[in-house]
Amino acid sequence: LWARTMDDAMAARRELGEHRFFDVPFRETVSDPASAAGRVYAHFGIDFPDQTRDRLRAWHLGHPQHRHGEHRYSAADFGLVPGAIRERF
């Protein structure tokens, strides 16, 4: 499912043009979502008001990652082999 979804997304990206997309690493969205959002807004030429940035930072501080516990998954938990995942993605 994820492989097909990724293939479809990349096909849409090729069809629509790279300029319509902006990649943000997941870790950045988790560690500093306000900066990540600011980069997206800037890339597309959209104003990112200070109030919006401040509210996003406040929300992030009030909702830390793993506040309800941490989940750890492995490929084996789903019957997958890490080498096959690396090869496919």
Side-chain angles (χ1 to χ4, degrees):
L1 173 65
W2 286 110
R4 273 196 324 270
T5 301
M6 180 63 73
D7 289 342
D8 291 346
M10 296 309 292
R13 188 174 181 142
R14 284 188 301 275
E15 182 179 324
L16 297 171
E18 287 290 323
H19 66 282
R20 299 197 49 192
F21 294 86
F22 183 73
D23 297 319
V24 178
F26 175 74
R27 284 188 173 100
E28 183 181 349
T29 66
V30 173
S31 67
D32 191 356
S35 291
R39 289 187 339 104
V40 172
Y41 276 63
H43 175 80
F44 290 106
I46 302 168
D47 182 47
F48 190 48
D50 291 339
Q51 180 184 14
T52 303
R53 178 178 280 109
D54 293 345
R55 290 182 70 191
L56 183 50
R57 284 191 174 131
W59 183 91
H60 184 238
L61 288 172
H63 297 82
Q65 185 180 24
H66 308 305
R67 71 182 175 146
H68 298 294
E70 186 174 356
H71 299 282
R72 293 194 179 260
Y73 303 101
S74 72
D77 292 341
F78 301 94
L80 303 170
V81 179
I85 295 170
R86 279 191 297 277
E87 180 181 319
R88 181 60 181 93
F89 292 98

